[in-house]
Amino acid sequence: MIATSAVRRLFSLVWLSLISISMAVSAAPSDKPPFYQIDYQGQTAYLLGSIHVGDASFYPLPKPIERAFTQSAGLVVEADVRGANVAELLAKYGTGKLAMDQQTKNVMTAYCQDKQRQCAALENYAPWLQSMQLSVGRYAALGYSGEYGIDAVLVSQAGSKPVYELESTEFQFKLLASFDTKTQWQMVTEAIEAPDSDMLKLITAWRSGNEAELADLMEGEMLRNGETQMVEKMLWGRNETMAQGIIDLMQSSSTAKPLFVVVGAGHLVGQKSVQYYLQPFGIKAKNCWKQSCL
């Protein structure tokens, strides 16, 4: 059985940015999310691990991050939703009914008893998208919104800085839609049944900069359950592609530099992080909370 709670956590740190976009205010000087300086052939870039839900207390980001972002000339994200035809992508990858198993029917029936309007709005979506929408709703009930997601806020604050993509919105939709029917419905069940405490662990680990706990939450459970292929699909393969994308942007004469790169925090922790795949190119990465970066 797939460790679907870990898959749901990946959604929280990696893909909830597909649902909504916007801005923020206030202060979070004690936060220490994954944050690195990378140096390559005389070029410097900054690498921030994001979470795609948040609240006003996340902002402004800690001073080293704010300084690096201010000094950067270009912003790099996984996918810039602003340039995507989301309606077209939803029609292509996010709709279509898949046969629901009995366990999921039981869970959905109980959940929808007092949420009939919400459930009616979801029923024509593919299960993977239902799962994401349900997760967004769960986080909203806990006081966290996609409007305060780190990458969404940084994109909104980019101003005249060019924004570059490491993937694309279509790539991410296609990947999510590629999960088999059983896995997608398990994601829906998990999105409904996950305890609040489990969901909040992600945010606490991110804000405290506990990379070991983040790695365990993101990939540890799946690896312990023998789900190496899932980790490779969700994280490791994409990490390798992202690392190559960062190299290409740092090498390109047409890229505005220095770059500020923001990707889901799950990509910067664990056995085969983005930094792991950058090492063979001779890139030096240093943790900005352990060594001075600016």
Side-chain angles (χ1 to χ4, degrees):
M1 178 177 176
I2 290 172
T4 50
S5 58
V7 173
R8 177 181 42 73
R9 293 182 191 120
L10 283 167
F11 276 11
S12 302
L13 284 181
V14 177
W15 282 308
L16 288 185
S17 59
L18 298 177
I19 299 300
S20 56
I21 302 179
S22 207
M23 273 202 71
V25 279
S26 204
S30 62
D31 286 355
K32 292 185 177 181
F35 181 48
Y36 289 80
Q37 177 179 308
I38 54 179
D39 296 290
Y40 179 64
Q41 296 183 350
Q43 298 289 341
T44 295
Y46 297 94
L47 185 57
L48 175 65
S50 74
I51 187 168
H52 299 311
V53 293
D55 65 24
S57 70
F58 283 23
Y59 303 94
L61 294 167
K63 289 182 179 179
I65 298 174
E66 291 284 349
R67 284 199 297 268
F69 182 68
T70 298
Q71 293 175 15
S72 67
L75 176 63
V76 184
V77 296
E78 292 177 33
D80 187 355
V81 185
R82 299 172 308 168
N85 187 333
V86 175
E88 181 179 298
L89 293 177
L90 285 174
K92 186 174 181 180
Y93 299 108
T95 58
K97 293 187 177 181
L98 299 178
M100 187 185 295
D101 60 275
Q102 190 58 52
Q103 179 185 356
T104 306
K105 285 181 182 178
N106 295 340
V107 171
M108 288 293 285
T109 298
Y111 176 79
C112 293
Q113 282 185 350
D114 59 349
K115 301 177 182 68
Q116 293 183 7
R117 181 176 296 181
Q118 176 188 359
C119 292
L122 290 175
E123 64 181 11
N124 290 322
Y125 290 143
W128 70 263
L129 186 54
Q130 292 189 41
S131 174
M132 291 182 69
Q133 295 283 6
L134 289 164
S135 293
V136 167
R138 292 287 308 280
Y139 274 110
L142 294 170
Y144 296 96
S145 168
E147 293 182 358
Y148 293 105
I150 302 302
D151 49 352
V153 170
L154 292 180
V155 167
S156 74
Q157 294 176 347
S160 61
K161 295 178 184 182
V163 179
Y164 307 101
E165 294 183 305
L166 294 174
E167 296 178 329
S168 69
T169 306
E170 180 165 15
F171 169 84
Q172 295 186 341
F173 272 62
K174 186 176 181 180
L175 180 61
L176 290 164
S178 72
F179 291 111
D180 62 40
T181 300
K182 180 180 179 181
T183 300
Q184 289 195 41
W185 284 123
Q186 286 176 335
M187 292 174 185
V188 171
T189 300
E190 281 285 338
I192 292 171
E193 294 187 332
D196 289 352
S197 59
D198 194 18
M199 301 179 73
L200 292 172
K201 282 181 183 178
L202 282 172
I203 294 173
T204 300
W206 179 82
R207 297 195 78 167
S208 66
N210 189 334
E211 294 191 12
E213 184 175 5
L214 276 173
D216 191 60
L217 288 170
M218 300 303 290
E219 67 182 33
E221 181 178 342
M222 285 192 283
L223 292 176
R224 286 191 293 272
N225 283 276
E227 292 294 336
T228 304
Q229 288 186 336
M230 179 67 74
V231 177
E232 289 175 343
K233 181 175 183 178
M234 301 276 279
L235 285 175
W236 295 346
R238 295 174 65 216
N239 292 348
E240 185 172 14
T241 302
M242 288 181 187
Q244 183 62 62
I246 292 169
I247 290 289
D248 292 344
L249 286 168
M250 292 184 77
Q251 286 182 325
S252 173
S253 60
S254 63
T255 303
K257 304 179 186 74
L259 293 170
F260 189 98
V261 184
V262 55
V263 298
H267 295 295
L268 304 188
V269 299
Q271 295 183 20
K272 296 181 181 180
S273 64
V274 168
Q275 303 92 297
Y276 169 87
Y277 286 109
L278 287 172
Q279 288 177 2
F281 294 97
I283 277 193
K284 304 297 182 184
K286 62 180 180 180
N287 188 321
C288 292
W289 305 120
K290 296 180 179 179
Q291 299 174 264
S292 177
C293 290
L294 294 173

